[in-house]
Amino acid sequence: MEVEVGELFIILAGILLVFDFVLLSKATAKDKKKLEYAFYTSAIACALVVASYFSLTWAFVSDNFSLSEVYTYSSSSLAIWYKLGDPWIGSSGSMLFVTFLFALVCFLYRFKGSGKESEFRTTTYKILDIFLIFLLLVTLLKSPFELLPIVPMDGAGLNPLLQTFWVLIHPPVIFLGYIFVFFAFALTLAGMITGESEKQEVREALKRSLCAAWLFLALGIALGGWWSYEVLGWGGYWAWDPVETASLLPFLALTAYFHLPSRSKDQAKELTLTITFSMIIFASALTRGGLLESVHAFGKSPVGPALLIFAFCVVLYFFYLTRRANKPLYTFDLDTSSLYSVAIFAAYWSLIFLLIICFLGDAAPIIGGFFSENPMSTSPEFYNKWCFPFTLAFVAALAGCNIGLKMKRYVMLIVAVLGIGAVLAALGQPTPNPLANLGLPLLMVAGIAIACNFARLLSKKNSSSRLWGKAIVHLAVIIILIGVFVSSTAETESGNIIAKPDSVIESLGMQITLNNFTVYPGTGSVYYPKHAIVGPEHSALKMNVVIEDGGKVHQESLWMYYYTNHGVVSEPSIISTFAGDVYVSMHPTNSSYNSMFYALMGQEVQPEDSVIVVKRVPLIWLVWFGIILLGIGMSILLFSELLKITNPQYYQKP
């Protein structure tokens, strides 16, 4: 069987990394020659990984449809920027992309540490080698360079839901978050092995990596929500889909990590980072291995089980190291007289319980699948019901971190606020959902406490930027939760409205004037596997509409596309106001479906009708504003850590 050059590069890189590991294992800090050879070996291995990645990229750009990956995710008519992003879009290519990013991080760390070898650095290098070798093996398990037995005349075309600017941003951002966690975990394991985890250099490198990971994980989840809401036409930024929920797991674990005391006599930080690492592996296995049915997941493959086995082995080794260290995993070192101490404790454990609930929601159907032939799933109601009390506990903890009260007064305040929430829940105001009404007063009080604390920090001359960043992050979380509580519970929808062209419909207090359809014939070029021919990729219908709402008139366009290999896709029209969004989308009837089908073959047939769906999503802008604020706060925290490199005196502890 012919082996592609890119696959050969992966195999050679793996062999060189094994050789590098052997050299590092036999070398001491004084063996300059061996360490120098090891560095060059690892550098060549990383260069081969980079070459393999660019080899796959070139296969997409040059339309090499002999590769299964290129055929599945591309076509000759696909725009060049999507071809450049295709390597991280597909199932196999995305694993190579992660390996490519990790190889770059490994090389930069080795290059920066060249000539500064120590037992800790050498141990870190070996752990990075193991991680990179494993990623290479997983990439080969479902190789992106797999050849098709017969070369098709064109590609099947990229899924239309992925033909958006956000597909070029969202995956790399979240993958960078994963890579920085991998790197930080390697530092942690090396510190546990050598006993040098408390060194200032190690602690600062770890903190910088985790701050970067936290930022990228948050941005990745946020971009995914925006993509689902505004681009894909799904009408929601969060649906408790298995892959969406899995992406939340490492973020929750890492957020919990930052709510642990900076110095303690236990190994809680190491344990929480191990959980973060394991949740990334679990999320990757779910997505890349197809362990559950999801709109975001790929088909089943051996990648999923391989990832889970690797995570299990790493966790076992971690517990071996903890036992050797002879230190407790976690100590309940709590000062009950200090509100701040209690609040930090409550924040950590509320996040851990949220993590457990979300993990069980994803894991239960996988386990149940072994005992049932029918696919199983976890309903959104399960998550909403069980996450709610721990979300409120976390909000109360955030208030406690930012409010200057004695413990007794704080408890009285929380009880009073929850009492007000209970009254609002009984009255059914301000939303139709009693749980949201119960939680909103607590969110408002927490937001006021955090805002007052932030104003106090700004008034101080010598307050550190790290404290500013923390306050902004806390405030952002509250704003996001208020937006979620209101937008998800007070949303109203018209249902399916059968609408004819040149007519007027009224729904949810607005008037929509529909014009005639514009039919767009088939464009693009893809391969039709059922008919073994090449034909147009898609046709389209457009309807111009005039929306009158609250005395304002909006000129909008509604679109539907028919993709031969992927079906019908709707592109919504969204009108954003201070009160919320008006969300209008068009969906097919038999008439409009047939019109697009005939348009694909070059025949223009005017449809008789289509389905119109109208939604009002109140205060959704709070979610997006909170996300922007969250990114700013996290960036400030990361920037304050990076400043320590150039100016160690800059950073001041609170």
Side-chain angles (χ1 to χ4, degrees):
M1 179 180 176
E2 181 184 356
V3 179
E4 279 288 321
V5 174
E7 192 168 287
L8 181 61
F9 286 161
I10 294 175
I11 295 170
L12 290 175
I15 294 171
L16 287 174
L17 287 169
V18 171
F19 184 58
D20 177 48
F21 183 87
V22 172
L23 283 174
L24 291 171
S25 298
K26 292 184 176 181
T28 64
K30 295 181 180 179
D31 294 332
K32 300 297 182 183
K33 279 292 182 184
K34 283 185 180 179
L35 292 173
E36 187 178 346
Y37 291 150
F39 170 74
Y40 289 134
T41 302
S42 69
I44 295 171
C46 291
L48 287 170
V49 174
V50 172
S52 177
Y53 171 75
F54 282 112
S55 173
L56 180 62
T57 303
W58 176 248
F60 277 104
V61 172
S62 61
D63 294 332
N64 184 358
F65 299 119
S66 65
L67 296 184
S68 174
E69 190 84 351
V70 178
Y71 164 76
T72 305
Y73 297 102
S74 187
S75 66
S76 59
S77 61
L78 188 66
I80 184 64
W81 45 87
Y82 293 130
K83 291 181 179 180
L84 292 172
D86 259 327
W88 62 69
I89 294 174
S91 171
S92 306
S94 59
M95 286 305 304
L96 178 58
F97 180 68
V98 170
T99 309
F100 159 73
L101 290 178
F102 193 63
L104 291 179
V105 171
C106 291
F107 172 74
L108 290 174
Y109 184 68
R110 293 285 290 266
F111 180 77
K112 185 180 178 182
S114 182
K116 305 175 185 177
E117 281 73 14
S118 63
E119 183 185 1
F120 171 79
R121 279 189 174 273
T122 303
T123 304
T124 305
Y125 296 159
K126 289 191 288 184
I127 295 171
L128 292 175
D129 277 350
I130 292 171
F131 286 178
L132 191 49
I133 290 168
F134 174 74
L135 288 174
L136 290 171
L137 291 174
V138 170
T139 302
L140 288 174
L141 266 180
K142 193 178 180 185
S143 174
F145 298 101
E146 180 184 347
L147 294 169
L148 292 171
I150 300 174
V151 181
M153 293 176 283
D154 209 322
L158 183 63
N159 189 313
L161 298 180
L162 301 177
Q163 294 188 39
T164 167
F165 167 78
W166 300 109
V167 79
L168 305 176
I169 305 297
H170 167 65
V173 166
I174 206 158
F175 288 153
L176 280 170
Y178 290 176
I179 292 305
F180 280 115
V181 170
F182 274 38
F183 178 69
F185 188 56
L187 294 176
T188 299
L189 289 178
M192 294 176 71
I193 293 169
T194 62
E196 297 183 26
S197 56
E198 292 302 316
K199 280 191 173 181
Q200 186 69 14
E201 178 188 357
V202 177
R203 292 176 67 247
E204 289 185 357
L206 184 64
K207 190 70 175 292
R208 286 192 294 271
S209 300
L210 291 178
C211 282
W214 199 35
L215 173 63
F216 284 118
L217 288 176
L219 290 178
I221 294 170
L223 289 171
W226 176 268
W227 183 3
S228 298
Y229 177 75
E230 186 160 279
V231 179
L232 300 186
W234 295 346
Y237 48 84
W238 194 262
W240 291 114
D241 176 87
V243 171
E244 289 178 354
T245 307
S247 71
L248 192 61
L249 298 176
F251 177 75
L252 288 172
L254 193 52
T255 305
Y257 177 95
F258 285 115
H259 287 84
L260 285 166
S262 56
R263 292 184 181 274
S264 60
K265 297 179 181 179
D266 58 22
Q267 299 181 81
K269 279 188 174 290
E270 290 85 350
L271 174 62
T272 308
L273 187 53
T274 303
I275 294 172
T276 307
F277 173 83
S278 302
M279 291 302 100
I280 287 176
I281 298 294
F282 176 73
S284 301
L286 203 68
T287 309
R288 311 297 151 190
L291 298 181
L292 282 177
E293 290 188 2
S294 165
V295 294
H296 306 282
F298 299 100
K300 289 186 178 181
S301 79
V303 169
L307 287 167
L308 294 180
I309 291 170
F310 177 68
F312 179 73
C313 294
V314 172
V315 170
L316 281 182
Y317 184 65
F318 167 77
F319 281 112
Y320 162 75
L321 292 176
T322 58
R323 185 173 182 180
R324 193 183 72 169
N326 199 26
K327 290 170 63 177
L329 276 177
Y330 185 85
T331 55
F332 290 86
D333 187 13
L334 179 64
D335 181 4
T336 55
S337 64
S338 167
L339 175 57
Y340 184 81
S341 176
V342 172
I344 288 293
F345 176 86
Y348 176 81
W349 281 105
S350 58
L351 288 165
I352 292 297
F353 278 111
L354 284 170
L355 169 67
I356 292 171
I357 291 165
C358 293
F359 176 75
L360 290 176
D362 265 358
I366 298 174
I367 298 170
F370 291 111
F371 305 99
S372 173
E373 295 181 358
N374 299 321
M376 301 177 67
S377 62
T378 303
S379 68
E381 287 73 22
F382 167 83
Y383 295 107
N384 293 333
K385 176 183 177 181
W386 290 103
C387 287
F388 179 76
F390 298 108
T391 301
L392 287 194
F394 181 65
V395 171
L398 290 184
C401 291
N402 291 272
I403 201 167
L405 292 177
K406 296 290 185 181
M407 179 64 72
K408 186 176 180 180
R409 287 183 176 273
Y410 168 76
V411 172
M412 291 173 61
L413 174 64
I414 296 299
V415 171
V417 171
L418 289 176
I420 295 171
V423 172
L424 292 176
L427 294 174
Q429 295 295 330
T431 77
N433 187 289
L435 292 181
N437 297 335
L438 175 63
L440 282 172
L442 182 59
L443 284 167
M444 298 300 294
V445 169
I448 293 170
I450 296 167
C452 291
N453 182 44
F454 183 59
R456 180 178 60 82
L457 290 172
L458 290 177
S459 65
K460 287 186 175 181
K461 292 183 178 180
N462 296 322
S463 61
S464 73
S465 60
R466 190 173 72 92
L467 293 178
W468 296 358
K470 285 173 60 178
I472 292 173
V473 167
H474 288 175
L475 185 60
V477 169
I478 298 300
I479 292 172
I480 291 170
L481 287 175
I482 292 173
V484 169
F485 276 36
V486 175
S487 66
S488 62
T489 59
E491 176 185 301
T492 53
E493 182 177 329
S494 65
N496 292 344
I497 303 172
I498 303 297
K500 296 183 179 296
D502 296 323
S503 64
V504 177
I505 60 174
E506 293 187 359
S507 178
L508 303 182
M510 68 188 79
Q511 181 176 288
I512 304 176
T513 303
L514 310 175
N515 295 326
N516 210 340
F517 289 100
T518 303
V519 181
Y520 290 85
T523 59
S525 174
V526 294
Y527 182 72
Y528 299 176
K530 291 182 180 179
H531 307 287
I533 61 172
V534 174
E537 181 183 25
H538 72 272
S539 58
L541 280 179
K542 184 180 81 166
M543 176 185 280
N544 292 324
V545 298
V546 179
I547 302 173
E548 297 182 40
D549 181 35
K552 294 184 178 180
V553 179
H554 307 274
Q555 303 278 348
E556 301 291 331
S557 296
L558 305 178
W559 287 85
M560 271 195 305
Y561 303 89
Y562 175 70
Y563 282 79
T564 312
N565 292 333
H566 300 283
V568 178
V569 176
S570 298
E571 183 179 309
S573 175
I574 302 174
I575 302 170
S576 297
T577 67
F578 185 77
D581 285 0
V582 173
Y583 197 98
V584 186
S585 55
M586 179 170 61
H587 304 274
T589 58
N590 287 336
S591 172
S592 53
Y593 179 90
N594 290 335
S595 175
M596 290 187 290
F597 179 79
Y598 285 118
L600 201 67
M601 297 182 288
Q603 301 179 37
E604 183 174 336
V605 178
Q606 280 291 326
E608 297 175 0
D609 52 27
S610 66
V611 171
I612 302 294
V613 177
V614 183
K615 292 182 182 180
R616 284 192 184 274
V617 190
L619 298 183
I620 182 66
W621 64 270
L622 285 175
V623 176
W624 313 129
F625 175 69
I627 286 170
I628 293 171
L629 206 60
L630 185 70
I632 292 171
M634 289 181 170
S635 298
I636 291 173
L637 290 172
L638 176 59
F639 187 65
S640 67
E641 292 298 324
L642 293 175
L643 275 179
K644 289 192 234 178
I645 302 174
T646 56
N647 185 9
Q649 301 301 318
Y650 171 82
Y651 180 70
Q652 296 179 7
K653 288 190 176 181

